[in-house]
Amino acid sequence: MMKRLKPLNDIIFKKLFGENQDKELLIGFLNAVLENDVEDLYIIEEKLTKEKIDDKQGILDIKAICYTGEKINIEVQLANEYNMKERTLFYWSKLFTENFKAAEKYSDLNKTITINILGFNYLTDIESYHSSYKIYEDKSKQLLTDLLEIHFIEMPKFNETDVDLHNPLHRWLLFLRGDTVKQPNLEEVFILDQLVAKAEDKLRRLSADEETIRMYQLREKFIADQKTQIEGAKNDGMNAKAAEIAKSLLKIPSMSIQDVANHTGLPLNKVKDLEKEVR
């Protein structure tokens, strides 16, 4: 039986939504996210190569320009690098000012929308799986400008949401989140939504293409390695902080080595080594 590739692998996501020949798929997805009526757009296509599998410079993003002039950037990020807000503003600003000439008027700048689809919970103070940000005045909440719009879609939060098949965004996210075997209502989605059904047909074709499978597997390995490196760096940072706390506690005469180990969670032999540095 043919394995259904994960749509949120960003190689697959870009092949699904990043081609002008199937731009109605992207238009349908954007209308569901933005609750808007995007009628037509042009996708800035970039050829996928093996060298771009481990690229960190936005090559795997999807960039599109609506017929109204609005610019849109979509990124799938499955590994939490703890820099999503800064990264988002950086790529938003690049797209916002792209191709802007010195002699042009600032009023010619077009609205730029960024959509981040995350494989992890990021906005800890927000319960909703879909968040939208603009620029407002602190007290009056009056909108300063609509030129900036940033969306976050956190898939783990969506997975905890009661699914409404009459919600277009729910239908798209059900398609994106993975294995049809674990989603019995996905077949109903295909009946209700012809565009999602078309995206599924395209995904099945991609899942049978040897070159696509090869690039998919390389990208999956890269993402897994990236998550391991991030987790390792996080643990190293936590251990370093715990070591500093342990050193402070060891300076207190009443604190035993066992007490310090209990307070910091560090292994007893590690605390003994730290003791030699302090006492």
Side-chain angles (χ1 to χ4, degrees), residues 48-71:
L48 293 173
T49 63
K50 183 179 180 298
E51 289 70 29
K52 292 176 181 177
I53 295 296
D54 59 352
D55 200 296
K56 297 182 179 180
Q57 304 304 316
I59 299 298
L60 295 175
D61 294 4
I62 293 176
K63 300 180 183 70
I65 301 175
C66 298
Y67 81 102
T68 56
E70 291 180 348
K71 299 177 181 180

Side-chain angles (χ1 to χ4, degrees), residues 57-100:
Q57 304 304 316
I59 299 298
L60 295 175
D61 294 4
I62 293 176
K63 300 180 183 70
I65 301 175
C66 298
Y67 81 102
T68 56
E70 291 180 348
K71 299 177 181 180
I72 298 175
N73 182 84
I74 307 175
E75 178 180 5
V76 175
Q77 186 65 259
L78 300 181
N80 188 358
E81 298 182 35
Y82 301 93
N83 62 0
M84 203 65 217
K85 295 171 187 175
E86 296 80 5
R87 177 189 177 94
T88 296
L89 288 173
F90 177 75
Y91 284 113
W92 175 88
S93 64
K94 284 185 65 177
L95 188 59
F96 180 62
T97 57
E98 193 172 58
N99 301 323
F100 184 74

Side-chain angles (χ1 to χ4, degrees), residues 251-279:
K251 293 177 182 178
I252 302 172
S254 61
M255 291 291 289
S256 69
I257 294 174
Q258 186 63 59
D259 289 336
V260 173
N262 292 340
H263 276 79
T264 61
L266 290 171
L268 198 61
N269 62 337
K270 174 66 176 176
V271 177
K272 288 179 179 178
D273 290 339
L274 293 172
E275 183 191 33
K276 297 174 185 176
E277 299 178 22
V278 176
R279 294 177 177 172

Side-chain angles (χ1 to χ4, degrees), residues 13-263:
F13 189 88
K14 191 173 180 74
K15 283 182 172 288
L16 282 169
F17 295 100
E19 297 177 347
N20 281 295
Q21 65 182 14
D22 295 314
K23 64 182 179 180
E24 66 267 31
L25 299 181
L26 181 59
I27 291 172
F29 178 69
L30 289 175
N31 283 333
V33 174
L34 304 175
E35 296 182 352
N36 204 348
D37 188 18
V38 177
E39 295 181 10
D40 198 10
L41 52 73
Y42 173 76
I43 300 169
I44 303 170
E45 295 189 27
E46 295 171 291
K47 185 175 176 59
L48 293 173
T49 63
K50 183 179 180 298
E51 289 70 29
K52 292 176 181 177
I53 295 296
D54 59 352
D55 200 296
K56 297 182 179 180
Q57 304 304 316
I59 299 298
L60 295 175
D61 294 4
I62 293 176
K63 300 180 183 70
I65 301 175
C66 298
Y67 81 102
T68 56
E70 291 180 348
K71 299 177 181 180
I72 298 175
N73 182 84
I74 307 175
E75 178 180 5
V76 175
Q77 186 65 259
L78 300 181
N80 188 358
E81 298 182 35
Y82 301 93
N83 62 0
M84 203 65 217
K85 295 171 187 175
E86 296 80 5
R87 177 189 177 94
T88 296
L89 288 173
F90 177 75
Y91 284 113
W92 175 88
S93 64
K94 284 185 65 177
L95 188 59
F96 180 62
T97 57
E98 193 172 58
N99 301 323
F100 184 74
K101 306 289 191 299
E104 292 180 326
K105 296 178 293 184
Y106 290 118
S107 57
D108 291 333
L109 288 165
N110 290 300
K111 180 176 183 177
T112 301
I113 301 169
T114 292
I115 300 171
N116 296 313
I117 304 173
L118 308 181
F120 50 90
N121 287 336
Y122 184 62
L123 303 169
T124 55
D125 54 340
I126 303 291
E127 291 185 7
S128 174
Y129 71 91
H130 179 199
S131 306
S132 176
Y133 292 85
K134 297 178 183 179
I135 302 178
Y136 294 94
E137 199 280 328
D138 280 346
K139 295 180 180 177
S140 69
K141 306 304 178 186
Q142 182 176 354
L143 182 68
L144 176 65
T145 175
D146 70 346
L147 291 179
L148 178 146
E149 186 172 323
I150 295 172
H151 293 255
F152 291 93
I153 296 175
E154 299 170 88
M155 292 303 292
K157 291 182 182 177
F158 174 70
N159 293 339
E160 301 298 321
T161 301
D162 292 332
V163 172
D164 177 8
L165 295 185
H166 297 290
N167 183 321
L169 183 54
H170 282 204
R171 296 197 293 267
W172 278 109
L173 297 183
L174 282 170
F175 162 74
L176 288 174
R177 75 178 180 184
D179 196 342
T180 54
V181 175
K182 300 176 183 177
Q183 300 189 71
N185 54 3
L186 197 50
E187 291 299 329
E188 190 176 348
V189 169
F190 300 151
I191 296 171
L192 290 171
D193 199 317
Q194 292 183 350
L195 277 179
V196 179
K198 183 172 181 179
E200 178 67 17
D201 288 340
K202 185 173 184 180
L203 177 61
R204 291 183 186 278
R205 292 195 300 274
L206 291 171
S207 298
D209 180 75
E210 290 185 5
E211 178 63 15
T212 298
I213 293 171
R214 185 182 68 83
M215 295 182 73
Y216 168 89
Q217 291 172 339
L218 288 172
R219 187 62 179 173
E220 285 288 289
K221 182 181 183 303
F222 172 78
I223 293 169
D225 291 345
Q226 188 181 34
K227 287 181 178 179
T228 300
Q229 290 170 6
I230 292 168
E231 192 60 32
K234 181 182 175 183
N235 289 336
D236 288 345
M238 291 174 64
N239 288 337
K241 186 174 181 179
E244 289 303 312
I245 294 172
K247 287 180 181 179
S248 297
L249 293 175
L250 286 167
K251 293 177 182 178
I252 302 172
S254 61
M255 291 291 289
S256 69
I257 294 174
Q258 186 63 59
D259 289 336
V260 173
N262 292 340
H263 276 79

